[in-house]
Amino acid sequence: MSSTVTDQALFEAAEAIRAKAYAPYSRFAVGAAILAEDGNVYAGCNIENAAYPQGNCAEASAISAMIAGGARRIKRIYVTGPGVAPVTPCGGCRQRIREFADLDVTVISHGVEGAPLACTLEQLLPHSFGPEYLPK
Ligand code: THU
């Protein structure tokens, strides 16, 4: 990784915002930290809703923060959650990440009681559809 932002810094950003998660229904707090092309880190947590489908995933919140901050491209993303198993992005969030990341971008999934899992976006979302498929 050429950036001075380390995975440890991304982990800490994801964990700091995970502490703010609003997850009263699942009690499964998730944090996500994006290293964007502008060198900044944008973080988000899950935000649930009594009308369950209206909840937001942490990755969606982090993408919102990135766009609001004026950045457009994800260079690396770190997701943290409870437990031992890696907390990998849901299918919908894999597609959300796909909108703003190249296929070789590293996605780190970490259940904080266990070991982090580093994958490329292409591994998580093979044969994917993206913006370049649409006519300009
Ligand atoms: N969740 C995320 O925010 N990101 C993930 O990668 C996996 C799941 C949230 C959605 C819901 O609020 C809770 O975790 C349980 O599914």
Side-chain angles (χ1 to χ4, degrees):
M1 189 171 50
S2 58
S3 169
T4 56
V5 177
T6 62
D7 283 345
Q8 181 64 26
L10 290 176
F11 170 78
E12 287 171 11
E15 280 294 274
I17 202 155
R18 187 163 80 88
K20 300 177 183 172
Y22 177 74
Y25 307 109
S26 73
R27 303 199 175 281
F28 194 87
V30 181
I34 291 170
L35 171 62
E37 97 273 358
D38 63 0
N40 290 323
V41 175
Y42 297 98
C45 57
N46 53 335
I47 306 168
E48 296 183 346
N49 193 285
Y52 289 1
Q54 304 308 322
N56 287 346
C57 285
E59 297 89 331
S61 297
I63 289 169
S64 295
M66 179 187 78
I67 296 299
R72 281 286 187 274
R73 299 300 293 170
I74 297 170
K75 291 298 173 195
R76 205 169 183 87
I77 177 167
Y78 203 119
V79 181
T80 62
V84 172
V87 176
T88 54
C90 76
C93 284
R94 294 176 196 205
Q95 186 67 38
R96 289 189 180 95
I97 295 165
R98 171 72 167 84
E99 187 73 15
F100 301 107
D102 294 341
L103 290 170
D104 64 355
V105 156
T106 298
V107 179
I108 300 162
S109 305
H110 194 176
V112 297
E113 308 295 326
L117 172 72
C119 298
T120 64
L121 177 58
E122 188 164 29
Q123 287 174 309
L124 289 175
L125 194 67
H127 307 291
S128 63
F129 182 85
E132 70 277 12
Y133 283 72
L134 296 176
K136 291 256 188 295

